[in-house]
C-alpha cells in the first residue's frame, strides 16, 4: 500500500488501537482501560496498589472518616427531639437520657430554655460542635440542615418557623425538577413532616392562617430565594 507520495504507507498500529478503544468506550460502557494509571494493570491491582492507604497514619485517618460517617447515619436515624415548654424547663430531670446524649449541662439547658441557642427552626444543643463546619466556630449550615441535625431541639416557639420552612419547600417543589428537589431538599422535607406531627394540630392550624407564602423572614442567600 502506497501513500500519495508513491512511497510505502506507514501504518501506526498504536493510533489505530487508540482510536478503536476510544470509539468502543463511547459506544458501550464496561470499564475503560484508558482511565487507568497504568493500562497494563487491572482495576483491582490499581486499587490495591494506588488507592489503598499505605501507612498506619493514612489507615487511621480513613477509619476515622468511616466511623464519623457511620455515626452521622445513626444519629440521623434517631427520632426528632420535639419538646414541650415544661419538658425544656425540666430537661435534666425529666429527660436525662436526652440531656446526656446531647451533652447538656445546667448552663446549656438554661440557654436552651431562654432561647439563646435558637437558630431558625430549632434550638442547637451545641452551635460550636463542628458537625457541619470547623469545630469551635458557629455552625455555617443552611436553615433546613437543622431539621436532620442530631443536636437540634424543637420547642413550641419554633412552630411558626417550621411552617415557614415547609412552605419554602413547597415553593421549591413547584419551581425545581422533581429529581433535583429530592436530591437537595427531599430528606429535609420528609423530616419536617415527622417533626410537625408532634405539635398541637390546633396550634398549627392557627399559625397557618398568618404564615405568608413568601421568603420573608427566612435566612436565605440571594440565590436560594424562590421567585
Amino acid at each position: 500500500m502506497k501513500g500519495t507520495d508513491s512511497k510505502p504507507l506507514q501504518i501506526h498500529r498504536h493510533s489505530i488501537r487508540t482510536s478503536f478503544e476510544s470509539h468502543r468506550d463511547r459506544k458501550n460502557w464496561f470499564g475503560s482501560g484508558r482511565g487507568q494509571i497504568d493500562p497494563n494493570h487491572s482495576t483491582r491491582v490499581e486499587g490495591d496498589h494506588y488507592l489503598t492507604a499505605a501507612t498506619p497514619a493514612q489507615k487511621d485517618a480513613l477509619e476515622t472518616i468511616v466511623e464519623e460517617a457511620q455515626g452521622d447515619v445513626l444519629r440521623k436515624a434517631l427520632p426528632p427531639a420535639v419538646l414541650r415548654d415544661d419538658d425544656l424547663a425540666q430537661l435534666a430531670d425529666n429527660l436525662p437520657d436526652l440531656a446526656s446524649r446531647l451533652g447538656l449541662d445546667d448552663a446549656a439547658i438554661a440557654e436552651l430554655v431562654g432561647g439563646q441557642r435558637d437558630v431558625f427552626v430549632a434550638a442547637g444543643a451545641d452551635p460550636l460542635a463542628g458537625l457541619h463546619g470547623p469545630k469551635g466556630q458557629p455552625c455555617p449550615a443552611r436553615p433546613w440542615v437543622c431539621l436532620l441535625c442530631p443536636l437540634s431541639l424543637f420547642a413550641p416557639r419554633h412552630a411558626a418557623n417550621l411552617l415557614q420552612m415547609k412552605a419554602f419547600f413547597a415553593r421549591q417543589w413547584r419551581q425545581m425538577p422533581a429529581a433535583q428537589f429530592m436530591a437537595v431538599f427531599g430528606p429535609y422535607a420528609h423530616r419536617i413532616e415527622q417533626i410537625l406531627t408532634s405539635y398541637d394540630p390546633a396550634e398549627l392550624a392557627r399559625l397557618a392562617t398568618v404564615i405568608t407564602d413568601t421568603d420573608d423572614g427566612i435566612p436565605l442567600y440571594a440565590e436560594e430565594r424562590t421567585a
Side-chain angles (χ1 to χ4, degrees):
M1 183 181 295
K2 296 182 179 181
T4 56
D5 56 0
S6 299
K7 294 182 179 180
L9 183 64
Q10 185 177 2
I11 299 176
H12 298 278
R13 292 184 175 87
H14 176 72
S15 298
I16 295 174
R17 179 181 178 183
T18 301
S19 299
F20 167 73
E21 289 182 347
S22 176
H23 175 74
R24 183 191 63 184
D25 293 343
R26 286 175 171 81
K27 185 176 181 181
N28 294 302
W29 174 252
F30 50 83
S32 173
R34 292 159 55 82
Q36 294 175 335
I37 298 173
D38 185 340
N40 297 315
H41 290 164
S42 68
T43 303
R44 180 173 182 176
V45 169
E46 291 209 342
D48 290 340
H49 287 80
Y50 299 116
L51 303 179
T52 301
T55 67
Q58 290 175 327
K59 292 180 180 179
D60 289 341
L62 182 60
E63 290 175 356
T64 299
I65 293 173
V66 172
E67 290 172 358
E68 290 178 351
Q70 291 175 335
D72 288 341
V73 172
L74 292 174
R75 286 193 295 267
K76 289 179 179 180
L78 295 172
V82 184
L83 308 178
R84 300 186 301 272
D85 282 333
D86 54 347
D87 289 331
L88 278 173
Q90 302 179 15
L91 182 58
D93 296 330
N94 294 350
L95 301 169
D97 293 340
L98 180 60
S100 175
R101 173 167 65 85
L102 297 177
L104 299 175
D105 55 20
D106 292 341
I109 292 174
E111 291 178 356
L112 285 171
V113 173
Q116 298 173 19
R117 297 196 176 192
D118 275 14
V119 285
F120 183 67
V121 295
D126 187 357
L128 306 180
L131 289 184
H132 306 289
K135 190 174 182 62
Q137 299 293 326
C139 182
R142 309 307 301 132
W144 50 85
V145 175
C146 299
L147 297 168
L148 278 172
C149 180
L151 299 179
S152 291
L153 289 168
F154 304 93
R157 61 179 179 270
H158 301 124
N161 288 353
L162 286 166
L163 291 177
Q164 282 185 278
M165 184 58 64
K166 181 180 178 180
F168 170 76
F169 289 151
R171 293 192 297 275
Q172 291 286 8
W173 171 260
R174 291 194 295 267
Q175 71 178 23
M176 294 174 65
Q180 183 182 4
F181 176 88
M182 293 306 297
V184 177
F185 297 115
Y188 307 106
H190 176 70
R191 183 67 156 190
I192 203 170
E193 295 293 344
Q194 288 182 311
I195 295 169
L196 288 173
T197 57
S198 299
Y199 281 79
D200 181 7
E203 179 64 13
L204 293 178
R206 184 189 69 80
L207 291 172
T209 61
V210 298
I211 297 297
T212 59
D213 194 22
T214 67
D215 294 330
D216 295 342
I218 305 177
L220 300 171
Y221 295 139
E223 63 272 18
E224 295 169 346
R225 300 184 67 85
T226 57

